[in-house]
Amino acid sequence: MLRDLHDATAGHPLAGSGECVVHGGPGPFSAIFRDGMPVALTGWDSCAPAARLSDLGYIAWTWSIQASGHVPLAGQAQHLRELRAGYGSTGGEDLLAAVVRSQTRIAGLETVVREDRRAPRMRREHARQATGWAAGDCDLVQRNKALFLIALR
């Protein structure tokens, strides 16, 4: 589904100077499911012209890699391999770098909100949780980079 979006918008005027139009946050909470399969994406407020790899890094992270939960690392590496195979070829190093960029971007954005005393208290609390989530997952990727790269070969 994500590859179809990228292919359909590559070279389109809406892509501007970007490679294509990206969703900007194609995580599991932005998906609509039918019979257990994602069939559509919601939350298009972050779509923009950009490189495919920015969406691919985000989706690889949010659908495959989690520091919390009970999915063994080998299972996460398998999910990452399957996601990349479903999207199409991209280098393992490039994909993992895109994952880390997504995690770092989210942690940075949420840090700004968390420290803004003008932001509503509930939004600051959500930002605190999101910063920890992104940072924890980023640490997991950094500590297990070799395992993920082996899975992507």
Side-chain angles (χ1 to χ4, degrees):
M1 186 171 51
L2 190 63
R3 177 68 185 256
D4 289 345
L5 166 68
H6 294 164
D7 288 348
T9 60
H12 191 280
L14 288 173
S17 61
E19 182 181 357
C20 61
V21 175
V22 299
H23 180 274
F29 296 111
S30 295
I32 296 173
F33 293 85
R34 181 176 301 138
D35 298 325
M37 294 297 294
V39 295
L41 292 171
T42 63
W44 290 91
D45 52 328
S46 296
C47 72
R52 297 168 183 257
L53 206 48
S54 64
D55 260 357
L56 194 54
Y58 189 89
I59 202 169
W61 166 31
T62 59
W63 288 77
S64 303
I65 301 169
Q66 310 262 323
S68 63
H70 303 288
V71 179
L73 278 174
Q76 294 184 46
Q78 175 67 27
H79 294 157
L80 186 61
R81 179 178 37 245
E82 291 168 355
L83 185 135
R84 199 234 352 228
Y87 183 88
S89 183
T90 187
E93 289 274 353
D94 291 341
L95 181 56
L96 282 183
V99 167
V100 169
R101 280 193 302 274
S102 290
Q103 293 164 332
T104 302
R105 180 179 59 85
I106 293 299
L109 289 172
E110 297 302 338
T111 297
V112 169
V113 172
R114 189 182 73 225
E115 294 173 358
D116 181 357
R117 293 294 164 204
R118 296 170 297 169
R121 185 181 60 77
M122 292 290 289
R123 177 64 180 106
R124 288 194 321 265
E125 177 58 23
H126 172 76
R128 184 189 65 73
Q129 293 171 356
T131 302
W133 162 64
D137 287 357
C138 188
D139 181 58
L140 177 82
V141 171
Q142 300 291 7
R143 284 184 290 109
N144 297 284
K145 184 177 180 180
L147 172 73
F148 289 123
L149 286 175
I150 289 169
L152 291 169
R153 287 196 183 113

